[in-house]
Short mmCIF file of all heavy atoms in Angstrom, two decimals:
data_model
loop_
_atom_site.label_atom_id
_atom_site.label_comp_id
_atom_site.label_asym_id
_atom_site.label_seq_id
_atom_site.Cartn_x
_atom_site.Cartn_y
_atom_site.Cartn_z
N LYS A 271 -16.22 -48.27 8.14
CA LYS A 271 -16.61 -48.50 9.53
C LYS A 271 -15.38 -48.45 10.44
O LYS A 271 -14.35 -49.04 10.11
CB LYS A 271 -17.32 -49.84 9.67
CG LYS A 271 -17.89 -50.04 11.07
CD LYS A 271 -18.59 -51.36 11.20
CE LYS A 271 -19.11 -51.52 12.64
NZ LYS A 271 -19.72 -52.83 12.84
N GLY A 272 -15.49 -47.77 11.53
CA GLY A 272 -14.40 -47.70 12.50
C GLY A 272 -13.42 -46.58 12.23
O GLY A 272 -12.54 -46.31 13.05
N SER A 273 -13.57 -45.91 11.09
CA SER A 273 -12.60 -44.84 10.79
C SER A 273 -12.92 -43.56 11.55
O SER A 273 -14.07 -43.30 11.92
CB SER A 273 -12.57 -44.56 9.29
OG SER A 273 -13.83 -44.09 8.87
N GLU A 274 -11.88 -42.80 11.79
CA GLU A 274 -12.06 -41.50 12.46
C GLU A 274 -12.35 -40.46 11.37
O GLU A 274 -11.68 -40.43 10.34
CB GLU A 274 -10.76 -41.10 13.18
CG GLU A 274 -10.33 -42.03 14.30
CD GLU A 274 -11.22 -41.94 15.52
OE1 GLU A 274 -11.78 -40.85 15.76
OE2 GLU A 274 -11.38 -42.95 16.24
N VAL A 275 -13.35 -39.63 11.61
CA VAL A 275 -13.69 -38.62 10.60
C VAL A 275 -13.90 -37.25 11.27
O VAL A 275 -14.20 -37.16 12.46
CB VAL A 275 -14.99 -38.97 9.82
CG1 VAL A 275 -14.80 -40.17 8.94
CG2 VAL A 275 -16.17 -39.13 10.76
N ILE A 276 -13.73 -36.24 10.47
CA ILE A 276 -14.12 -34.89 10.90
C ILE A 276 -15.22 -34.45 9.95
O ILE A 276 -15.03 -34.44 8.73
CB ILE A 276 -12.94 -33.91 10.86
CG1 ILE A 276 -11.84 -34.37 11.80
CG2 ILE A 276 -13.40 -32.50 11.22
CD1 ILE A 276 -10.55 -33.56 11.70
N SER A 277 -16.37 -34.15 10.52
CA SER A 277 -17.51 -33.76 9.68
C SER A 277 -17.96 -32.35 10.05
O SER A 277 -17.53 -31.78 11.07
CB SER A 277 -18.65 -34.75 9.86
OG SER A 277 -19.05 -34.73 11.21
N SER A 278 -18.82 -31.83 9.21
CA SER A 278 -19.29 -30.46 9.46
C SER A 278 -20.73 -30.32 8.97
O SER A 278 -21.13 -30.95 7.99
CB SER A 278 -18.38 -29.48 8.71
OG SER A 278 -19.01 -28.23 8.59
N VAL A 279 -21.48 -29.50 9.67
CA VAL A 279 -22.83 -29.16 9.23
C VAL A 279 -22.91 -27.64 9.21
O VAL A 279 -22.61 -26.99 10.22
CB VAL A 279 -23.91 -29.70 10.22
CG1 VAL A 279 -25.31 -29.42 9.68
CG2 VAL A 279 -23.70 -31.17 10.50
N ARG A 280 -23.26 -27.08 8.08
CA ARG A 280 -23.34 -25.62 8.01
C ARG A 280 -24.52 -25.12 8.83
O ARG A 280 -25.61 -25.71 8.76
CB ARG A 280 -23.48 -25.16 6.55
CG ARG A 280 -22.29 -25.54 5.70
CD ARG A 280 -22.37 -24.92 4.33
NE ARG A 280 -22.09 -23.49 4.39
CZ ARG A 280 -20.84 -22.97 4.41
NH1 ARG A 280 -19.80 -23.77 4.36
NH2 ARG A 280 -20.65 -21.69 4.47
N PRO A 281 -24.34 -24.05 9.61
CA PRO A 281 -25.43 -23.55 10.46
C PRO A 281 -26.71 -23.28 9.67
O PRO A 281 -27.81 -23.51 10.16
CB PRO A 281 -24.85 -22.26 11.04
CG PRO A 281 -23.38 -22.46 11.00
CD PRO A 281 -23.11 -23.27 9.79
N GLU A 282 -26.55 -22.80 8.42
CA GLU A 282 -27.76 -22.47 7.64
C GLU A 282 -28.49 -23.71 7.16
O GLU A 282 -29.62 -23.61 6.66
CB GLU A 282 -27.39 -21.55 6.47
CG GLU A 282 -26.32 -22.07 5.53
CD GLU A 282 -24.92 -21.64 5.93
OE1 GLU A 282 -24.66 -21.46 7.14
OE2 GLU A 282 -24.07 -21.52 5.03
N ASP A 283 -27.87 -24.91 7.31
CA ASP A 283 -28.54 -26.16 6.93
C ASP A 283 -29.33 -26.76 8.10
O ASP A 283 -29.95 -27.81 7.96
CB ASP A 283 -27.51 -27.19 6.45
CG ASP A 283 -26.96 -26.84 5.07
OD1 ASP A 283 -27.66 -26.10 4.34
OD2 ASP A 283 -25.85 -27.28 4.73
N ILE A 284 -29.26 -26.10 9.26
CA ILE A 284 -29.97 -26.63 10.44
C ILE A 284 -31.29 -25.89 10.61
O ILE A 284 -31.33 -24.66 10.63
CB ILE A 284 -29.10 -26.48 11.71
CG1 ILE A 284 -27.82 -27.32 11.57
CG2 ILE A 284 -29.89 -26.88 12.96
CD1 ILE A 284 -26.89 -27.22 12.77
N MET A 285 -32.37 -26.69 10.70
CA MET A 285 -33.68 -26.11 10.95
C MET A 285 -33.92 -26.16 12.47
O MET A 285 -33.50 -27.13 13.13
CB MET A 285 -34.73 -26.94 10.22
CG MET A 285 -36.10 -26.34 10.17
SD MET A 285 -37.14 -27.22 9.00
CE MET A 285 -37.48 -28.71 9.90
N VAL A 286 -34.58 -25.17 13.00
CA VAL A 286 -34.80 -25.13 14.46
C VAL A 286 -36.29 -25.23 14.73
O VAL A 286 -37.10 -24.53 14.09
CB VAL A 286 -34.22 -23.83 15.07
CG1 VAL A 286 -34.41 -23.81 16.57
CG2 VAL A 286 -32.73 -23.71 14.73
N ALA A 287 -36.67 -26.14 15.65
CA ALA A 287 -38.09 -26.30 16.03
C ALA A 287 -38.18 -26.45 17.54
O ALA A 287 -37.15 -26.65 18.21
CB ALA A 287 -38.67 -27.52 15.34
N ARG A 288 -39.37 -26.32 18.07
CA ARG A 288 -39.53 -26.51 19.52
C ARG A 288 -39.64 -27.99 19.87
O ARG A 288 -39.27 -28.41 20.94
CB ARG A 288 -40.79 -25.77 20.04
CG ARG A 288 -40.70 -24.26 20.01
CD ARG A 288 -39.46 -23.74 20.71
NE ARG A 288 -39.33 -24.11 22.10
CZ ARG A 288 -39.41 -23.27 23.10
NH1 ARG A 288 -39.64 -21.99 22.88
NH2 ARG A 288 -39.27 -23.66 24.35
N GLU A 289 -40.21 -28.80 18.91
CA GLU A 289 -40.38 -30.24 19.15
C GLU A 289 -39.87 -31.02 17.94
O GLU A 289 -39.74 -30.46 16.86
CB GLU A 289 -41.88 -30.56 19.37
CG GLU A 289 -42.53 -29.87 20.55
CD GLU A 289 -41.95 -30.28 21.90
OE1 GLU A 289 -41.36 -31.39 21.98
OE2 GLU A 289 -42.04 -29.49 22.85
N GLU A 290 -39.63 -32.33 18.15
CA GLU A 290 -39.25 -33.19 17.05
C GLU A 290 -40.35 -33.18 16.00
O GLU A 290 -41.53 -33.00 16.34
CB GLU A 290 -39.04 -34.65 17.52
CG GLU A 290 -37.72 -34.88 18.19
CD GLU A 290 -37.74 -34.57 19.68
OE1 GLU A 290 -38.77 -34.03 20.16
OE2 GLU A 290 -36.74 -34.84 20.38
N MET A 291 -39.95 -33.34 14.71
CA MET A 291 -40.93 -33.26 13.64
C MET A 291 -40.93 -34.57 12.84
O MET A 291 -39.89 -35.20 12.69
CB MET A 291 -40.60 -32.08 12.72
CG MET A 291 -40.72 -30.74 13.43
SD MET A 291 -40.12 -29.39 12.42
CE MET A 291 -41.54 -29.14 11.36
N ALA A 292 -42.10 -34.91 12.34
CA ALA A 292 -42.24 -36.15 11.56
C ALA A 292 -41.88 -35.86 10.10
O ALA A 292 -42.76 -35.77 9.23
CB ALA A 292 -43.66 -36.68 11.69
N ILE A 293 -40.63 -35.65 9.85
CA ILE A 293 -40.16 -35.38 8.48
C ILE A 293 -38.99 -36.30 8.16
O ILE A 293 -38.52 -37.03 9.04
CB ILE A 293 -39.75 -33.90 8.29
CG1 ILE A 293 -38.69 -33.51 9.33
CG2 ILE A 293 -40.94 -32.96 8.34
CD1 ILE A 293 -38.11 -32.14 9.11
N SER A 294 -38.51 -36.25 6.92
CA SER A 294 -37.49 -37.23 6.50
C SER A 294 -36.12 -36.97 7.12
O SER A 294 -35.28 -37.87 7.13
CB SER A 294 -37.38 -37.22 4.97
OG SER A 294 -36.97 -35.92 4.56
N SER A 295 -35.87 -35.81 7.62
CA SER A 295 -34.54 -35.50 8.20
C SER A 295 -34.30 -36.37 9.43
O SER A 295 -35.05 -36.30 10.41
CB SER A 295 -34.47 -34.03 8.60
OG SER A 295 -34.69 -33.23 7.48
N ARG A 296 -33.25 -37.20 9.36
CA ARG A 296 -33.01 -38.14 10.47
C ARG A 296 -32.32 -37.49 11.66
O ARG A 296 -32.43 -38.00 12.78
CB ARG A 296 -32.15 -39.30 9.97
CG ARG A 296 -32.92 -40.32 9.16
CD ARG A 296 -33.99 -41.03 10.00
NE ARG A 296 -33.48 -41.68 11.17
CZ ARG A 296 -33.02 -42.93 11.18
NH1 ARG A 296 -33.02 -43.66 10.09
NH2 ARG A 296 -32.59 -43.48 12.31
N ASN A 297 -31.57 -36.44 11.41
CA ASN A 297 -30.85 -35.84 12.53
C ASN A 297 -31.75 -34.83 13.24
O ASN A 297 -32.01 -33.74 12.72
CB ASN A 297 -29.58 -35.15 12.03
CG ASN A 297 -28.56 -36.13 11.51
OD1 ASN A 297 -28.09 -37.00 12.24
ND2 ASN A 297 -28.26 -36.04 10.22
N GLN A 298 -32.26 -35.26 14.41
CA GLN A 298 -33.10 -34.35 15.20
C GLN A 298 -32.54 -34.39 16.62
O GLN A 298 -32.72 -35.38 17.34
CB GLN A 298 -34.57 -34.76 15.15
CG GLN A 298 -35.11 -34.77 13.72
CD GLN A 298 -36.62 -34.62 13.67
OE1 GLN A 298 -37.27 -34.22 14.62
NE2 GLN A 298 -37.19 -34.92 12.50
N ILE A 299 -31.86 -33.34 16.99
CA ILE A 299 -31.14 -33.35 18.28
C ILE A 299 -31.76 -32.32 19.21
O ILE A 299 -31.85 -31.12 18.86
CB ILE A 299 -29.64 -33.07 18.06
CG1 ILE A 299 -29.04 -34.13 17.13
CG2 ILE A 299 -28.89 -33.01 19.38
CD1 ILE A 299 -27.64 -33.82 16.65
N ARG A 300 -32.18 -32.79 20.36
CA ARG A 300 -32.77 -31.87 21.35
C ARG A 300 -31.62 -31.13 22.07
O ARG A 300 -30.70 -31.79 22.57
CB ARG A 300 -33.63 -32.65 22.34
CG ARG A 300 -34.29 -31.81 23.41
CD ARG A 300 -35.47 -32.51 24.04
NE ARG A 300 -36.64 -32.52 23.17
CZ ARG A 300 -37.49 -31.51 23.05
NH1 ARG A 300 -37.29 -30.38 23.74
NH2 ARG A 300 -38.53 -31.58 22.25
N VAL A 301 -31.70 -29.85 22.08
CA VAL A 301 -30.62 -29.06 22.68
C VAL A 301 -31.17 -28.00 23.63
O VAL A 301 -32.37 -27.68 23.57
CB VAL A 301 -29.77 -28.32 21.60
CG1 VAL A 301 -29.06 -29.29 20.69
CG2 VAL A 301 -30.62 -27.35 20.80
N THR A 302 -30.29 -27.49 24.44
CA THR A 302 -30.63 -26.32 25.27
C THR A 302 -29.91 -25.13 24.64
O THR A 302 -28.71 -25.20 24.35
CB THR A 302 -30.12 -26.52 26.71
OG1 THR A 302 -30.69 -27.73 27.21
CG2 THR A 302 -30.51 -25.36 27.61
N ILE A 303 -30.66 -24.06 24.39
CA ILE A 303 -30.03 -22.87 23.80
C ILE A 303 -29.14 -22.22 24.87
O ILE A 303 -29.62 -21.86 25.95
CB ILE A 303 -31.09 -21.85 23.32
CG1 ILE A 303 -32.04 -22.50 22.30
CG2 ILE A 303 -30.44 -20.60 22.75
CD1 ILE A 303 -31.40 -22.93 21.00
N THR A 304 -27.85 -22.13 24.56
CA THR A 304 -26.92 -21.58 25.56
C THR A 304 -26.43 -20.18 25.19
O THR A 304 -25.92 -19.45 26.04
CB THR A 304 -25.68 -22.50 25.72
OG1 THR A 304 -25.17 -22.77 24.42
CG2 THR A 304 -26.04 -23.79 26.42
N ASP A 305 -26.56 -19.82 23.93
CA ASP A 305 -26.09 -18.48 23.54
C ASP A 305 -26.84 -18.01 22.30
O ASP A 305 -27.19 -18.83 21.43
CB ASP A 305 -24.58 -18.51 23.27
CG ASP A 305 -23.99 -17.11 23.16
OD1 ASP A 305 -24.58 -16.17 23.74
OD2 ASP A 305 -22.95 -16.95 22.48
N THR A 306 -27.09 -16.73 22.24
CA THR A 306 -27.70 -16.15 21.04
C THR A 306 -26.94 -14.88 20.67
O THR A 306 -26.44 -14.18 21.53
CB THR A 306 -29.19 -15.78 21.28
OG1 THR A 306 -29.24 -14.79 22.29
CG2 THR A 306 -30.02 -16.98 21.66
N GLU A 307 -26.85 -14.62 19.37
CA GLU A 307 -26.16 -13.41 18.92
C GLU A 307 -26.87 -12.87 17.68
O GLU A 307 -26.99 -13.58 16.67
CB GLU A 307 -24.70 -13.74 18.58
CG GLU A 307 -23.89 -12.50 18.24
CD GLU A 307 -22.51 -12.86 17.72
OE1 GLU A 307 -22.08 -14.00 17.88
OE2 GLU A 307 -21.89 -11.95 17.10
N ARG A 308 -27.35 -11.64 17.79
CA ARG A 308 -28.05 -11.07 16.62
C ARG A 308 -27.04 -10.45 15.66
O ARG A 308 -26.16 -9.70 16.06
CB ARG A 308 -29.04 -10.00 17.10
CG ARG A 308 -29.76 -9.41 15.93
CD ARG A 308 -31.07 -8.81 16.26
NE ARG A 308 -31.62 -8.24 15.03
CZ ARG A 308 -32.70 -7.54 14.97
NH1 ARG A 308 -33.39 -7.31 16.06
NH2 ARG A 308 -33.13 -7.05 13.83
N ARG A 309 -27.15 -10.82 14.39
CA ARG A 309 -26.30 -10.24 13.34
C ARG A 309 -27.22 -9.78 12.22
O ARG A 309 -27.65 -10.59 11.40
CB ARG A 309 -25.31 -11.26 12.80
CG ARG A 309 -24.27 -11.68 13.81
CD ARG A 309 -23.25 -12.56 13.14
NE ARG A 309 -22.49 -13.31 14.13
CZ ARG A 309 -21.68 -14.30 13.83
NH1 ARG A 309 -21.54 -14.67 12.57
NH2 ARG A 309 -21.02 -14.93 14.77
N GLY A 310 -27.56 -8.52 12.23
CA GLY A 310 -28.45 -7.96 11.22
C GLY A 310 -29.82 -8.63 11.29
O GLY A 310 -30.41 -8.72 12.37
N PRO A 311 -30.31 -9.17 10.17
CA PRO A 311 -31.65 -9.77 10.18
C PRO A 311 -31.65 -11.21 10.70
O PRO A 311 -32.70 -11.84 10.72
CB PRO A 311 -32.03 -9.74 8.69
CG PRO A 311 -30.74 -9.83 7.96
CD PRO A 311 -29.71 -9.18 8.82
N LEU A 312 -30.49 -11.71 11.10
CA LEU A 312 -30.39 -13.11 11.54
C LEU A 312 -29.97 -13.21 13.00
O LEU A 312 -29.35 -12.29 13.54
CB LEU A 312 -29.38 -13.87 10.68
CG LEU A 312 -29.66 -13.91 9.16
CD1 LEU A 312 -28.49 -14.53 8.42
CD2 LEU A 312 -30.95 -14.66 8.86
N VAL A 313 -30.32 -14.36 13.60
CA VAL A 313 -29.87 -14.63 14.97
C VAL A 313 -29.10 -15.95 14.95
O VAL A 313 -29.60 -16.95 14.42
CB VAL A 313 -31.06 -14.72 15.95
CG1 VAL A 313 -30.57 -15.02 17.37
CG2 VAL A 313 -31.88 -13.45 15.93
N TRP A 314 -27.89 -15.91 15.48
CA TRP A 314 -27.07 -17.12 15.58
C TRP A 314 -27.33 -17.76 16.95
O TRP A 314 -27.25 -17.09 17.97
CB TRP A 314 -25.59 -16.79 15.42
CG TRP A 314 -25.23 -16.49 13.99
CD1 TRP A 314 -25.58 -15.40 13.28
CD2 TRP A 314 -24.51 -17.33 13.11
NE1 TRP A 314 -25.12 -15.48 12.00
CE2 TRP A 314 -24.44 -16.66 11.85
CE3 TRP A 314 -23.90 -18.58 13.22
CZ2 TRP A 314 -23.81 -17.21 10.75
CZ3 TRP A 314 -23.25 -19.11 12.13
CH2 TRP A 314 -23.21 -18.44 10.90
N LEU A 315 -27.62 -19.06 16.91
CA LEU A 315 -27.94 -19.78 18.15
C LEU A 315 -26.86 -20.81 18.43
O LEU A 315 -26.34 -21.43 17.50
CB LEU A 315 -29.27 -20.53 17.99
CG LEU A 315 -30.50 -19.73 17.56
CD1 LEU A 315 -31.63 -20.70 17.23
CD2 LEU A 315 -30.93 -18.77 18.66
N THR A 316 -26.55 -20.99 19.69
CA THR A 316 -25.68 -22.09 20.09
C THR A 316 -26.54 -23.03 20.93
O THR A 316 -27.12 -22.61 21.95
CB THR A 316 -24.49 -21.60 20.92
OG1 THR A 316 -23.81 -20.59 20.17
CG2 THR A 316 -23.52 -22.73 21.24
#
Side-chain angles (χ1 to χ4, degrees):
Chain A
K271 187 180 178 184
S273 63
E274 297 289 331
V275 292
I276 299 172
S277 61
S278 162
V279 184
R280 298 187 74 82
E282 56 269 30
D283 287 338
I284 297 179
M285 191 167 74
V286 182
R288 291 307 301 248
E289 299 296 337
E290 281 86 352
M291 296 172 80
I293 55 173
S294 61
S295 301
R296 283 295 304 272
N297 292 299
Q298 301 203 17
I299 301 170
R300 180 160 285 278
V301 296
T302 303
I303 303 296
T304 50
D305 192 25
T306 63
E307 186 188 345
R308 180 156 178 186
R309 293 186 197 169
L312 301 173
V313 179
W314 285 71
L315 305 170
T316 305

